[in-house]
Amino acid sequence: MKIEIQNLRKKFGSREVLKGLSLNIEPGAVSGLVGPNACGKTTLIKCILGLTIPTSGEILVGGKSIHREWDYRRKIGYMPQNPNFPPNLTFIDLLEMLEDLRNEDRSKSCEELVDIFGLRECLDKPFSTMSGGTKQKCAAVAAFMFDPDILILDEPSVGLDPVAALKLKELVLQSVNKGKSVLLVSHIMTEVEQLVQRMVFLLEGEAAFSGNVDQLREQTGEDKLENAIVKMMLSRKPERAFEIIGHHQRMGSQ
Amino acid sequence: MTQFLTLLKYELMNVLRGKWLFLYALMFSGIAYSIGHLGGDTMKAALSLMNLVILVTPIVSILYASIYWYNADGFTTLLLTQPLRRWGIFVSRWIAIALTLSLCFVAGTALPFFIQQTLTGPLVTLLLLGTALTFAFTSIGLLISVLFNDRMKGIGAAFLLWFYFSIVHDGLVFSQWSFFANTPSKTHLWSLLPPTLSTWFASCSL
């Protein structure tokens, strides 16, 4: 399912965070949302999820405007960066609650997801007794459990152990193969390199680049994605970008 | 409506599992038992309890609602990302917190009098007054938490509002009342009354 963002602006007081942003999130691909801190990535995600109301502009999900709508969220699975579940509820309470609230059955894969992330023995544990990584795994199950058409993953691997992170990557790739739209926010370059087919580069609330990864490499003249992104991030300070990339290459050759 | 009731069920489950709410009920039981045990009639017991209820229920309600909201920040985000209407999320939380606090207050206060078979009119009025105050101050607590993103500012504002409504406002009303004691018309004073109306009503009925 396609997400279309048209001339989106968001102001917090006098500070304009999104400055007329226009881009499309295509189905059947992982779109990476990359950019420096405070460039508007989280605000954009919040606008898509309906957590923040844009100052102007429009967001279309599956061709329909989401303005004042709420049922479109049925099509979205969201995995936040720092999941914070009610401390007194157990994991099974959460799964049942989501099922009751959406009034739809969890997909058969929910049981599989619980096993994939090794959460079977955590089902009856309250969230107050769980570690950050375990909560992150629970958030992954909650995001994937209804087999949604759109997945929004905000720094999904932060806090996950390498095994869980690998399993999450496999799940993302499986979803893409089924034709789902995936929007991934990540600062982990290896993860971006492995998963992302299309890249949206946000800089000071504007899309400085939107296209596939090869186009980004071509545009910046860098083979390594990491260097291409650094160059893009510091495109308004080119001398600083050359300095960082040069230093990085010298360290690598040593 | 089904969706709202489902939300309410899970909010209630979460609030009811908070163990220290039982301490709140226990505190009222202890105080009610002591006052009831000291002797005197039900009217005197109700008046003594009322002084306490007017101060304690608002501050517990306003602070509990604020702290609960800030602690449930991530849970609120999770609910807001689900296909749910916003009003359902906020109203169910308000009802769950206010209902649980009211139940603790009513059960804690009524139990000693119920056992002693002295649970009569004035005490029932007092229980209703405490419940009304709990609902009112829980809603104020939630409103403050929504308005202030910063937890410390929010809790500070909650405390200041409690101080104003529970102490300063009553003082203002009564000082105005005495100041205009010899004035034929005191209708303008009614504009100051709503927050203290339940107190005033309870005092009259007692």
Side-chain angles (χ1 to χ4, degrees):
Chain A
M1 189 169 279
K2 191 174 178 179
I3 305 175
E4 293 160 78
I5 292 153
Q6 298 169 353
N7 202 22
L8 197 71
R9 287 180 187 277
K10 177 66 193 174
K11 271 187 176 180
F12 292 104
S14 59
R15 191 168 153 256
E16 195 169 30
V17 179
L18 297 175
K19 300 169 182 169
L21 188 67
S22 294
L23 56 100
N24 292 336
I25 312 289
E26 302 290 342
V30 179
S31 301
L33 191 57
V34 185
N37 297 333
C39 68
K41 298 188 292 285
T42 305
T43 306
L44 175 61
I45 288 181
K46 282 184 174 177
C47 287
I48 297 171
L49 290 166
L51 299 176
T52 297
I53 298 162
T55 310
S56 66
E58 200 158 27
I59 300 175
L60 309 174
V61 172
K64 284 184 187 166
S65 171
I66 62 165
H67 185 61
R68 293 187 180 275
E69 291 293 326
W70 52 273
D71 204 48
Y72 76 95
R73 293 188 205 118
R74 201 175 286 283
K75 296 160 190 161
I76 300 179
Y78 171 56
M79 189 173 168
Q81 189 180 355
N82 297 310
N84 183 5
F85 298 114
N88 300 324
L89 291 188
T90 62
F91 182 37
I92 191 73
D93 286 338
L94 178 83
L95 297 179
E96 284 170 1
M97 181 189 80
L98 293 175
E99 198 175 18
D100 285 351
L101 290 176
R102 284 180 172 242
N103 200 20
E104 55 186 286
D105 292 336
R106 315 170 222 169
S107 66
K108 285 174 197 164
S109 61
C110 182
E111 296 296 311
E112 278 175 43
L113 287 167
V114 170
D115 288 328
I116 286 173
F117 289 106
L119 291 169
R120 183 116 347 239
E121 64 269 28
C122 296
L123 282 171
D124 294 319
K125 276 188 188 173
F127 285 107
S128 57
T129 63
M130 288 186 195
S131 70
T134 312
K135 282 185 201 166
Q136 190 76 348
K137 290 178 192 172
C138 296
V141 175
F144 284 86
M145 68 187 274
F146 295 104
D147 199 20
D149 290 330
I150 298 165
L151 281 161
I152 298 179
L153 313 172
D154 191 358
E155 301 271 6
S157 333
V158 174
L160 288 183
D161 58 61
V163 179
L166 193 70
K167 285 172 177 170
L168 184 73
K169 277 179 201 164
E170 284 168 11
L171 281 172
V172 170
L173 291 174
Q174 280 170 19
S175 302
V176 170
N177 291 337
K178 283 193 238 170
K180 318 268 182 195
S181 306
V182 181
L183 181 61
L184 174 81
V185 177
S186 180
H187 289 296
I188 304 170
M189 287 304 117
T190 47
E191 187 176 71
V192 173
E193 206 152 15
Q194 285 166 8
L195 291 175
V196 168
Q197 286 100 41
R198 289 181 55 79
M199 177 95 80
V200 178
F201 198 94
L202 281 191
L203 209 55
E204 292 169 10
E206 292 165 343
F209 173 83
S210 179
N212 63 41
V213 176
D214 291 333
Q215 281 174 324
L216 178 69
R217 286 195 179 105
E218 208 174 292
Q219 191 173 318
T220 53
E222 291 287 342
D223 284 341
K224 279 187 82 176
L225 185 65
E226 198 173 11
N227 288 347
I229 286 172
V230 170
K231 214 166 182 179
M232 208 70 202
M233 271 192 194
L234 298 171
S235 58
R236 291 175 194 183
K237 295 171 189 166
E239 66 293 344
R240 180 88 184 113
F242 288 127
E243 190 186 311
I244 289 172
I245 293 166
H247 177 72
H248 188 68
Q249 280 165 351
R250 281 196 298 279
M251 292 291 283
S253 62
Q254 280 169 18
Chain B
M1 197 61 193
T2 323
Q3 210 175 51
F4 174 74
L5 292 175
T6 312
L7 263 173
L8 187 60
K9 178 182 124 187
Y10 285 98
E11 287 284 4
L12 276 171
M13 269 170 73
N14 192 35
V15 181
L16 279 169
R17 284 182 192 172
K19 293 184 186 77
W20 81 268
L21 277 176
F22 296 102
L23 286 177
Y24 179 59
L26 211 63
M27 180 195 83
F28 274 111
S29 280
I31 293 165
Y33 176 77
S34 310
I35 289 173
H37 206 69
L38 283 172
D41 57 15
T42 320
M43 187 75 84
K44 280 182 181 169
L47 273 171
S48 307
L49 269 172
M50 194 186 77
N51 287 320
L52 189 81
V53 168
I54 285 171
L55 289 176
V56 174
T57 48
I59 193 162
V60 171
S61 307
I62 202 168
L63 287 180
Y64 185 83
S66 299
I67 293 168
Y68 184 92
W69 181 271
Y70 288 119
N71 287 346
D73 187 38
F75 183 43
T76 312
T77 309
L78 175 82
L79 291 177
L80 287 169
T81 58
Q82 299 302 315
L84 304 168
R85 286 185 175 89
R86 280 183 181 219
W87 72 265
I89 297 170
F90 297 117
V91 174
S92 66
R93 182 159 299 173
W94 172 55
I95 292 178
I97 298 172
L99 201 63
T100 315
L101 285 171
S102 301
L103 277 174
C104 289
F105 160 70
V106 169
T109 312
L111 193 68
F113 293 106
F114 184 74
I115 292 167
Q116 291 167 12
Q117 294 180 328
T118 51
L119 189 64
T120 50
L123 283 165
V124 174
T125 312
L126 179 79
L127 295 178
L128 290 175
L129 159 73
T131 306
L133 282 173
T134 302
F135 270 81
F137 278 84
T138 305
S139 65
I140 296 172
L142 290 177
L143 177 69
I144 288 167
S145 317
V146 172
L147 293 177
F148 291 90
N149 282 332
D150 187 296
R151 175 191 288 249
M152 291 316 292
K153 279 184 189 165
I155 292 172
F159 187 77
L160 282 175
L161 268 179
W162 165 79
F163 187 73
Y164 175 76
F165 281 128
S166 297
I167 295 162
V168 179
H169 193 90
D170 282 17
L172 274 177
V173 172
F174 290 122
S175 65
Q176 290 277 303
W177 198 270
S178 343
F179 188 77
F180 291 104
N182 298 322
T183 317
S185 169
K186 298 185 189 65
T187 42
H188 68 284
L189 290 177
W190 286 102
S191 61
L192 284 167
L193 272 179
T196 49
L197 203 58
S198 51
T199 316
W200 175 79
F201 174 74
S203 309
C204 288
S205 58
L206 287 171

